[in-house]
Amino acid sequence: MDVLSDVLHRARAGEARIHQLIQRPPWSVQFADPPSLAVVAALGGTASVRLDGEAVLLAGGDIALISRADGYTIADAPDSPPQVVIRGGYKQFIEDGSMAGRQLGPRTYGDGLPGSTVVLHAGYRLRGEVGRRLLAMLPGLAVLPAGPRTRQVLELLSGEVAQEEPGQDAVLGRLLDLVLVLALRALCAQPGDELPHWRGALADPGIGEALRLLHERPAHRWTVAELAASAGQSRSAFAARFSRVVGEPPLGYLTGWRMTLAADLLRETEHSVEAVAREVGYADAFAFSTAFKRAHGVSPSVWRRG
């Protein structure tokens, strides 16, 4: 399994919540306690996403990824005042707001009148340290322009959102995952020196293969020479390139990933500390505890107790 697939799989906590809004301007929805990762797509018309005092415009087919936000607003235009606040999963109409809120179908709300904007909003619940690691890989707000591949999937997703059939949650979840992965791929392909290290790493064939091996077999006693051979490079050239592209040395990355996996195993399973140590590549529980405390600031036992 490649690195991005592995992180997404481990970070997911249940199915994503997906809703569609079909509303004539002016309209505005404020998300007061949003999910840790949200996908917003303009399916018909244009929409605005306001975050931290800045607004970006989405044309038809554009996708916005929003992560780690304390709150954001989706509206027909940047200057439309909020009419509805979503907090704790409940919709609250702001006084004198005129936004229509009737349910038009499964997971679909608004007025549904001619000239309406169609916006898709989906929120992912991410869990544990792997979820935090994924969020750290992403910018707070990224907009991906419409493309033929994402447009096709968005059309399928929009059609499925309005249905209520057996297996619907599974279909919606897979389609949304596809939208997210296509968006992240597009993010990786964007130029710019300011982009996080991981995007360049996944696009580099040799480094990408080494990362895949580290994620596929984190308990293996990897050496830099072994990883360099997998990348078809000399040990020194590989080590220098890995550090430059990823942002840390190969074995430093491996230790960080092991400690991330261990943190979630301690919280989500009843495995003993010794068993967790073996699962992430430590034969000695004492050495594991030392490395874990160095990474997380507390011992494995204290971490497990919360």
Side-chain angles (χ1 to χ4, degrees):
M1 184 180 293
D2 65 89
V3 175
L4 185 56
S5 298
D6 185 34
V7 173
L8 287 171
H9 172 72
R10 294 178 185 273
R12 285 286 298 275
E15 295 296 332
R17 295 177 62 89
I18 308 173
H19 294 95
Q20 187 171 230
L21 177 69
I22 305 177
Q23 186 76 40
R24 281 193 309 173
W27 59 269
S28 180
V29 181
Q30 180 182 0
F31 291 82
D33 53 355
S36 49
L37 175 61
V39 179
V40 180
L43 305 180
T46 60
S48 166
V49 178
R50 296 202 300 265
L51 173 66
D52 295 334
E54 298 184 4
V56 296
L57 292 176
L58 303 181
D62 289 354
I63 299 171
L65 297 182
I66 308 172
S67 64
R68 309 185 307 276
D70 293 328
Y72 53 84
T73 300
I74 304 173
D76 67 297
D79 56 352
S80 294
Q83 298 166 317
V84 171
V85 177
I86 307 295
R87 180 181 285 108
Y90 292 95
K91 178 165 50 179
Q92 303 170 3
F93 286 89
I94 297 176
E95 188 176 358
D96 296 329
S98 59
M99 184 172 178
R102 63 190 177 94
Q103 186 167 0
L104 303 174
R107 311 174 190 85
T108 302
Y109 303 87
D111 56 32
L113 297 174
S116 295
T117 303
V118 183
V119 174
L120 189 77
H121 178 272
Y124 279 95
R125 291 190 301 116
L126 303 180
R127 66 173 178 236
E129 291 302 298
V130 176
R132 277 184 275 276
R133 192 180 183 98
L134 171 60
L135 292 174
M137 294 163 63
L138 300 173
L141 174 63
V143 176
L144 295 312
R149 298 181 71 184
T150 53
R151 191 183 298 275
Q152 292 175 1
V153 182
L154 287 174
E155 289 176 355
L156 284 172
L157 186 55
S158 178
E160 289 292 334
V161 164
Q163 304 297 320
E164 195 66 78
E165 299 177 355
Q168 199 70 36
D169 287 340
V171 172
L172 290 172
R174 301 298 82 75
L175 286 174
L176 183 60
D177 286 348
L178 180 55
V179 170
L180 177 61
V181 170
L182 290 176
L184 291 175
R185 283 181 183 174
L187 201 58
C188 290
Q190 287 184 349
D193 296 335
E194 76 283 358
L195 300 181
H197 288 292
W198 68 271
R199 300 186 218 176
L202 297 184
D204 186 296
I207 303 304
E209 173 62 13
L211 287 170
R212 184 190 68 79
L213 291 172
L214 293 176
H215 278 251
E216 188 175 85
R217 300 165 60 195
H220 181 71
R221 297 174 65 87
W222 292 105
T223 64
V224 176
E226 193 175 5
L227 292 169
S230 74
Q233 301 173 18
S234 69
R235 183 185 182 282
S236 58
F238 168 79
R241 182 165 183 79
F242 190 103
S243 297
R244 184 172 66 255
V245 173
V246 178
E248 59 183 325
L251 299 187
Y253 179 92
L254 174 60
T255 299
W257 180 237
R258 284 173 168 176
M259 294 302 103
T260 297
L261 295 178
D264 287 346
L265 286 170
L266 288 166
R267 287 270 173 86
E268 297 174 5
T269 73
E270 296 182 358
H271 297 172
S272 66
V273 172
E274 291 78 9
V276 171
R278 290 193 298 271
E279 195 162 340
V280 298
Y282 287 81
D284 182 351
F286 178 78
F288 164 72
S289 296
T290 301
F292 189 91
K293 188 171 184 179
R294 187 182 304 117
H296 294 288
V298 296
S299 69
S301 298
V302 172
W303 177 269
R304 166 165 276 169
R305 292 196 297 268

